[in-house]
Amino acid sequence: MDRSIALQKSDFSDKNFLEKQDYYLNLISELMDIRKRGEKPLAFIHTYGCQQNVADSEKIKGMLYKAGFDFTDKPDDADFILFNTCAVREHAEDRVFGNVGALKNLKRKHPQTLIALCGCMMEQKHIADRMYKSFPFVSLVFGTHSLQNFPELYYRTLFSGKRVYERDNDDKLIYEGIPVKRDGTFKSWLPIMYGCDNFCTYCIVPYVRGRERSRKKDDVINEARELINSGYKDITLLGQNVNSYGKGLEEKTTFAQLIGEIDQIEGDYWLRFMTSHPKDCSKELIDTIANGKHISKHLHLPFQSGSDRVLKQMNRHYDRKKYLEIINYAKERIPDVSLTSDIIVGFPGETYEDFKETLSLIKEVKFTSLFTFIYSPRVGTPAAEMADPISAEEKSKWFRELLAVQEEIAAKRCASMVGNNEKILVESVNEKNGKLQCRNSGNIIVECEGSSDLIGTFQTAKITEARNWILRGKIV
Ligand code: SAH
Ligand code: SF4
Ligand code: F3S
């Protein structure tokens, strides 16, 4: 791709553009006012997929809120229903198809409700076309690259009474200044970059999220400062590969420098980030975590497969040796570091011998927890064209074997923490057992007795018990 073009284009915060979208938000507000006669219109937003999608939904909510909307968790009460979709695996897509199909009756009952679809699935033309055709009660379809145009698109749909289908091809821009309505009051997502240029052969993300582009350092730092000053305690910096942050920016910078600078902001908070790609994970970053005042002692470093042969087929640009070098350096520099990872089981052509390499890697590293996935072919990706002779049953068997091994490792890791005093953030009340659900810096769940008044505060817990991968403790 032509970086210089991307740079020029992404290098703006378009005041006129935002003013134009504000103008549409006002028009929506007027139209809804006429419809609801003073009552607030309600929106139901359902988000599938990763935190990037959650962050996008928070922007859509920000825009709707500005237009006078409130939010509901009951689709039946909503004037506007939006599904923000994910395309990463077939299962994710199937759920969307099923759940959108189920809205047919709702639309019959409430013909005034406007139903819309957006997100990664809509950036795949064949899927967006199919959904647009199969679900005539869906009035608005737009992809990830059209998010900033949402006010205009929504207004066009409302005003014309016609269906609107928008897939913008410009995947190189960054729009600063879109309003955000955050779901949490003490945990927040902070996108530092968008898109992905890595093209791992199994992955659809680069096709649906466009080219990698970084936000300017000042924009990120200012947003972080705002969050910290307004009392956010747990801030996660987001990007598909945060380690390549800064590529293409005029000001030379690295991710380690960015997070190091945010860490200097005064306050009581944790700084997290995801996702790191092992090919770009530097010692400088690990040193920054080790020396950080606020950076959580947690490294999520997806390795996907322990077999060098499979890693090559996946186009991951590192091998097992390089991965273990980074991990060992992290263990050395960050005492008690919590390591987590993503793994794909059953990549096309993977043999049981390859799979055993993955098993041996998790035994060697001893991860706190793992996100494990069975390979799912994605139309348009190179891996979907590769021969895949292993049956689904066989892959499920390997998958279960992996879970069993990891369960034992996680249980031992948690048991070794009994007796520790851990700083925890109280997040919620577990509805099943009434206990406070908290997390430590390593992102491990800690359950404690206590009052719900403590939600959103840091506490210290003495760890009294380990239950598989969950800790129990007493607030001291
Ligand atoms: N950018 C992140 C991952 C984004 S997708 C990274 O590079 O680590 C999250 C995870 O979904 C991936 O790490 C991978 O383990 C899994 N995944 C992606 N595509 C998949 C596919 N086609 N089948 C199964 N799992 C997949
Ligand atoms: Fe997908 Fe690879 Fe990009 Fe992660 S780095 S989003 S796995 S292509
Ligand atoms: Fe899914 Fe899109 Fe995230 S495909 S995993 S929501 S970037």
Side-chain angles (χ1 to χ4, degrees):
M1 69 164 276
D2 187 339
R3 265 284 159 208
S4 61
I5 292 178
L7 220 198
Q8 280 167 18
K9 284 191 168 183
S10 67
D11 190 29
F12 80 110
S13 137
D14 191 337
K15 196 163 157 278
N16 291 340
F17 175 82
L18 289 172
E19 276 170 8
K20 185 171 143 202
Q21 297 308 320
D22 270 355
Y23 165 77
Y24 284 112
L25 290 177
N26 276 330
L27 292 178
I28 294 168
S29 185
E30 279 167 24
L31 273 181
M32 294 311 286
D33 239 15
I34 296 165
R35 260 197 199 178
K36 300 273 295 196
R37 296 198 180 83
E39 246 181 81
K40 276 201 164 211
L42 294 175
F44 170 88
I45 314 287
H46 190 79
T47 310
Y48 299 83
C50 67
Q51 280 72 21
Q52 189 65 67
N53 254 16
V54 174
D56 280 355
S57 287
E58 291 185 337
K59 286 196 180 124
I60 294 173
K61 285 181 192 172
M63 295 187 250
L64 286 167
Y65 191 70
K66 207 167 177 184
F69 275 76
D70 244 335
F71 301 94
T72 174
D73 50 12
K74 297 189 190 80
D76 264 308
D77 294 346
D79 300 282
F80 177 61
I81 295 179
L82 174 73
F83 283 3
N84 189 1
T85 63
C86 167
V88 81
R89 283 170 291 275
E90 197 177 351
H91 177 67
E93 291 193 338
D94 288 348
R95 273 172 54 213
V96 173
F97 269 100
N99 292 347
V100 175
L103 291 176
K104 190 174 172 185
N105 285 337
L106 182 144
K107 181 75 181 179
R108 208 175 280 146
K109 262 196 289 174
H110 309 291
Q112 288 276 56
T113 303
L114 198 149
I115 299 175
L117 300 173
C118 69
C120 294
M121 275 172 85
M122 302 307 127
E123 285 298 338
Q124 294 171 281
K125 191 177 177 313
H126 67 286
I127 301 268
D129 285 351
R130 194 172 129 207
M131 294 199 88
Y132 191 74
K133 277 201 199 104
S134 321
F135 303 120
F137 52 86
V138 169
S139 306
L140 168 61
V141 166
F142 61 100
T144 58
H145 308 319
S146 312
L147 180 102
Q148 65 286 339
N149 296 319
F150 168 71
E152 187 176 345
L153 299 173
Y154 186 18
Y155 174 72
R156 248 166 57 200
T157 322
L158 266 179
F159 183 73
S160 69
K162 291 199 180 119
R163 303 177 80 200
V164 171
Y165 176 110
E166 176 96 0
R167 292 177 61 260
D168 189 347
N169 290 324
D170 212 336
D171 60 357
K172 300 183 189 70
L173 303 178
I174 288 185
Y175 292 86
E176 294 293 349
I178 298 174
V180 178
K181 176 124 178 53
R182 298 183 195 274
D183 293 336
T185 51
F186 56 90
K187 274 180 89 128
S188 60
W189 311 112
L190 202 179
I192 62 166
M193 59 205 294
Y194 302 95
C196 181
D197 284 350
N198 291 311
F199 291 95
C200 303
T201 53
Y202 50 82
C203 184
I204 197 72
V205 172
Y207 305 89
V208 295
R209 283 273 168 189
R211 299 292 52 79
E212 184 181 296
R213 54 230 184 259
S214 295
R215 289 178 72 189
K216 284 191 207 155
K217 198 157 91 178
D218 284 352
D219 287 330
V220 175
I221 292 178
N222 288 338
E223 190 171 339
R225 188 174 293 111
E226 257 170 50
L227 289 168
I228 294 162
N229 291 343
S230 37
Y232 281 90
K233 298 279 183 264
D234 187 313
I235 299 166
T236 304
L237 309 180
L238 291 182
Q240 294 300 347
N241 175 15
V242 292
N243 296 121
S244 64
Y245 171 80
K247 259 195 238 156
L249 283 182
E250 248 167 81
E251 184 189 2
K252 279 256 163 297
T253 184
T254 63
F255 178 61
Q257 284 163 358
L258 174 77
I259 197 165
E261 278 190 43
I262 299 176
D263 187 47
Q264 299 301 315
I265 303 172
E266 293 291 327
D268 194 12
Y269 62 91
W270 276 336
L271 207 48
R272 303 183 184 278
F273 57 90
M274 62 195 282
T275 300
S276 280
H277 193 307
K279 83 178 163 67
D280 304 307
C281 189
S282 64
K283 285 193 169 170
E284 184 198 6
L285 174 63
I286 289 167
D287 292 340
T288 310
I289 303 173
N291 300 330
K293 279 190 293 217
H294 306 99
I295 308 173
S296 73
K297 307 300 176 211
H298 172 204
L299 186 60
H300 178 64
L301 198 61
F303 70 88
Q304 313 296 357
S305 167
S307 150
D308 285 346
R309 200 185 63 79
V310 174
L311 285 172
K312 218 180 193 114
Q313 296 275 305
M314 287 176 162
N315 191 34
R316 290 287 288 181
H317 295 285
Y318 55 86
D319 57 15
R320 182 188 176 96
K321 185 163 163 272
K322 159 133 200 243
Y323 184 80
L324 284 169
E325 264 168 32
I326 307 168
I327 292 288
N328 289 333
Y329 188 69
K331 284 181 175 171
E332 199 180 292
R333 292 286 286 117
I334 313 166
D336 268 342
V337 63
S338 170
L339 298 162
T340 58
S341 192
D342 293 353
I343 295 178
I344 296 177
V345 173
F347 182 81
E350 179 173 340
T351 62
Y352 189 64
E353 291 306 308
D354 292 316
F355 170 71
K356 280 205 299 202
E357 299 268 303
T358 296
L359 280 186
S360 83
L361 195 93
I362 67 169
K363 285 180 189 162
E364 183 166 348
V365 176
K366 299 192 175 53
F367 292 97
T368 313
S369 60
L370 290 176
F371 299 88
T372 45
F373 309 102
I374 293 186
Y375 168 73
S376 169
R378 306 285 65 211
V379 173
T381 61
E385 307 294 318
M386 296 177 189
D388 190 5
I390 302 290
S391 69
E393 290 74 33
E394 185 66 11
K395 289 184 183 184
S396 297
K397 216 168 90 190
W398 300 357
F399 188 75
R400 287 194 299 274
E401 191 176 344
L402 179 74
L403 294 189
V405 171
Q406 175 55 24
E407 219 165 89
E408 212 174 289
I409 294 169
K412 274 198 194 139
R413 164 101 172 85
C414 281
S416 74
M417 295 175 75
V418 173
N420 289 3
N421 276 338
E422 295 278 326
K423 180 172 177 176
I424 51 165
L425 178 63
V426 183
E427 293 190 344
S428 58
V429 174
N430 182 336
E431 282 175 12
K432 283 190 198 134
N433 58 17
K435 290 192 196 305
L436 293 178
Q437 177 117 343
C438 320
R439 258 171 222 275
N440 76 350
S441 159
N443 219 22
I444 303 177
I445 295 175
V446 183
E447 286 186 345
C448 299
E449 301 281 352
S451 149
S452 60
D453 294 346
L454 298 179
I455 290 175
T457 65
F458 283 118
Q459 301 291 332
T460 301
K462 186 166 183 73
I463 306 302
T464 52
E465 192 187 340
R467 295 209 155 190
N468 298 327
W469 56 90
I470 291 180
L471 298 169
R472 291 232 169 122
K474 216 178 156 72
I475 292 178
V476 291

